[in-house]
């Protein structure tokens, strides 16, 4: 059998789940897998998982990590181009411009392995698998949070966030021929969600525009001057903002739906970083999220290797293990 380890283990699928800012933990997971010479040949991503998956397969994961580590709340706000009369509160043009700098004219066909972005058809509620054509449009559709970002029209369909139908996309990996699937699930850390004492709104968005410790008062002026931003983000003590309620509502859907889907479509390896204490909009915690993803994956490396020896081609799995042993 002729096979290159660098090109991915035949039949190894990777399901990158949704979770907004928590999806930055995927970076840590991928770094550890690759460090141990474990490379997927099939990748499926939902929402932020599709963005990380696309960056990984396009060879731009390091660039994405560098960008993520540069984020703070002020920078995040700079990407939010609010619009009143539209299908979403945020136009998304600034985010698309950033993506376009790296993915302009990139097609699924340009990627080295099979890749699927999961989206939801707004009209029918159907789960949509995007796997050909423009990569940036597919990723944008996959994270188009309803009410926040406008739907993305692809082939006559208005598509929104895939987290509404399949938050941890194991079934697409299996459908594309994965003999073994590793799932990165960002929605199971229930204990972590109650670890911040004194906040009865604990992980509700985790995004306070008017927090002086995160955004200097002089930088808040343009947001305070906007009636829309005040209505969206202002909250009283111990009460969530309107934006927080919207985002956390999606978080509840993801949590419940993930459990249901995993019960019917269990992965061979289930990676669950302990990230429930981090809010869904706390992108400024990229360093912590990446580290938690690394730690959770490192603990499961022996289990992953054992599963590969059973489920994948023995020659491929053995070569992977031998290469990893040599590198350590």
């Amino acid at each position: 059998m002729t096979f290159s380890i660098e090109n991915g283990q035949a039949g190894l699928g990777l399901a990158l789940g949704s979770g907004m800012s928590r999806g930055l933990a995927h970076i840590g997971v991928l770094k550890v897998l690759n460090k141990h010479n474990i490379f997927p040949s099939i990748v499926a991503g939902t929402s932020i998982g599709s963005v990380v998956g696309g960056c990984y397969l396009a060879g731009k994961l390091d660039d994405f990590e560098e960008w993520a580590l540069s984020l703070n709340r002020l920078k995040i706000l700079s990407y939010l181009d609010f619009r009143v009369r539209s299908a979403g509160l945020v136009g998304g043009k600034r985010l698309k411009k950033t993506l376009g700098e790296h993915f302009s004219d990139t097609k699924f066909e340009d990627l080295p392995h099979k890749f699927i972005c999961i989206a939801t058809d707004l009209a029918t509620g159907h789960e949509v698998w995007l796997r050909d054509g423009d990569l940036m449009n597919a990723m944008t559709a996959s994270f188009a949070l309803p009410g926040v970002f406008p739907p993305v029209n692809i082939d006559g369909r208005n598509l929104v966030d895939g987290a509404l139908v399949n938050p941890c996309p194991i079934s697409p990996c299996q459908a594309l021929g994965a003999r073994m699937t590793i799932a990165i699930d960002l929605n199971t850390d229930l204990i972590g969600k109650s670890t911040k004492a004194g906040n009865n709104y604990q992980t509700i968005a985790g995004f306070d525009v008017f927090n002086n410790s995160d955004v200097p008062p002089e930088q808040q002026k343009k947001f305070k001057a906007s009636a829309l931003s005040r209505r969206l983000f202002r909250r009283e003590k111990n009460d969530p903002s309107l934006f927080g309620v919207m985002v956390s509502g999606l978080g509840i859907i993801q949590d419940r739906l993930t459990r249901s889907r995993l019960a019917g479509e269990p992965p061979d390896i289930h990676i669950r970083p302990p990230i429930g204490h981090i809010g869904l909009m706390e992108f400024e915690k990229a360093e912590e999220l990446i580290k938690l993803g690394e730690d959770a994956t490192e603990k499961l490396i022996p289990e992953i290797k054992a599963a590969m020896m059973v489920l994948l081609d023995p020659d491929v799995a053995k070569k992977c293990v031998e290469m990893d042993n040599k590198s350590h």
Side-chain angles (χ1 to χ4, degrees):
M1 175 181 181
T2 302
F3 188 80
S4 170
I5 292 293
E6 287 76 11
N7 289 336
Q9 275 81 32
L12 177 58
L14 191 65
L16 302 174
S18 60
M20 301 186 72
S21 68
R22 296 171 186 165
L24 299 180
H26 290 319
I27 299 173
V29 173
L30 286 162
K31 288 173 69 175
V32 170
L33 290 177
N34 289 180
K35 183 182 77 172
H36 288 277
N37 293 293
I38 299 169
F39 301 89
S41 57
I42 300 166
V43 179
T46 297
S47 198
I48 183 67
S50 70
V51 176
V52 178
C55 289
Y56 171 68
L57 290 176
K60 300 180 182 296
L61 190 63
D62 289 344
D63 292 337
F64 183 72
E65 180 181 8
E66 182 180 354
W67 174 80
L69 291 171
S70 74
L71 291 175
N72 53 41
R73 295 200 179 200
L74 187 59
K75 191 168 183 178
I76 294 167
L77 285 169
S78 72
Y79 288 108
L80 304 182
D81 47 339
F82 295 115
R83 301 192 308 182
V84 179
R85 297 178 182 177
S86 72
L89 292 171
V90 178
K93 288 184 178 180
R94 295 172 189 169
L95 279 173
K96 289 188 73 172
K97 181 180 178 181
T98 301
L99 282 174
E101 292 173 358
H102 297 279
F103 293 99
S104 179
D105 299 323
T106 303
K107 308 292 183 184
F108 278 83
E109 294 77 11
D110 300 326
L111 303 178
H113 301 299
K114 299 175 182 177
F115 181 46
I116 291 182
C117 293
I118 310 302
T120 304
D121 188 316
L122 190 59
T124 65
H126 291 169
E127 181 177 334
V128 179
W129 296 1
L130 302 170
R131 48 184 170 172
D132 55 43
D134 188 86
L135 180 61
M136 189 177 74
N137 277 349
M139 291 191 297
T140 304
S142 187
F143 71 69
L145 179 63
V148 177
F149 295 107
V152 177
N153 191 288
I154 298 179
D155 295 333
R157 286 176 149 183
N158 284 316
L159 304 179
V160 294
D161 201 318
L164 296 177
V165 288
N166 196 348
C168 194
I170 298 162
S171 54
C173 292
Q174 296 171 338
L176 289 183
R179 296 177 60 181
M180 171 181 167
T181 302
I182 299 173
I184 298 88
D185 177 8
L186 309 176
N187 300 300
T188 60
D189 184 20
L190 299 180
I191 300 300
K193 294 177 183 178
S194 59
T195 57
K196 291 183 180 176
N199 286 350
N200 62 18
Y201 57 90
Q202 203 267 314
T203 53
I204 296 185
F207 193 74
D208 185 1
V209 174
F210 307 108
N211 186 330
N212 291 345
S213 65
D214 293 301
V215 183
E218 62 272 14
Q219 299 289 345
Q220 295 181 21
K221 292 180 180 178
K222 63 179 180 179
F223 298 105
K224 287 184 175 180
S226 167
L228 178 60
S229 66
R230 289 200 306 271
R231 179 166 177 75
L232 283 174
F233 295 110
R234 172 68 73 183
R235 59 175 175 77
E236 302 300 326
K237 184 178 180 181
N238 291 333
D239 287 330
S241 66
L242 173 59
F243 187 78
V245 172
M246 290 171 57
V247 171
S248 293
L250 177 66
I252 293 170
I253 294 173
Q254 290 181 112
D255 179 29
R256 301 297 173 174
L257 185 54
T258 298
R259 289 195 242 177
S260 176
R261 295 293 299 249
L262 286 172
E265 303 160 358
D268 299 295
I269 299 294
H270 192 180
I271 300 177
R272 293 172 285 187
I275 53 179
H277 63 287
I278 297 177
L280 293 169
M281 285 294 292
E282 292 184 299
F283 286 91
E284 72 277 12
K285 294 188 177 180
E287 184 175 2
E288 181 182 357
L289 285 160
I290 293 170
K291 181 64 165 58
L292 289 170
E294 290 176 341
D295 293 345
T297 308
E298 197 70 59
K299 291 176 182 177
L300 289 176
I301 289 298
E303 184 178 338
I304 294 172
K305 288 182 180 179
M308 290 175 65
M309 295 298 291
V310 174
L311 298 170
L312 298 184
D313 184 286
D315 293 335
V316 172
K318 183 178 179 180
K319 187 175 180 182
C320 167
V321 174
E322 288 175 350
M323 287 182 64
D324 187 38
N325 290 338
K326 287 180 181 179
S327 64
H328 290 82

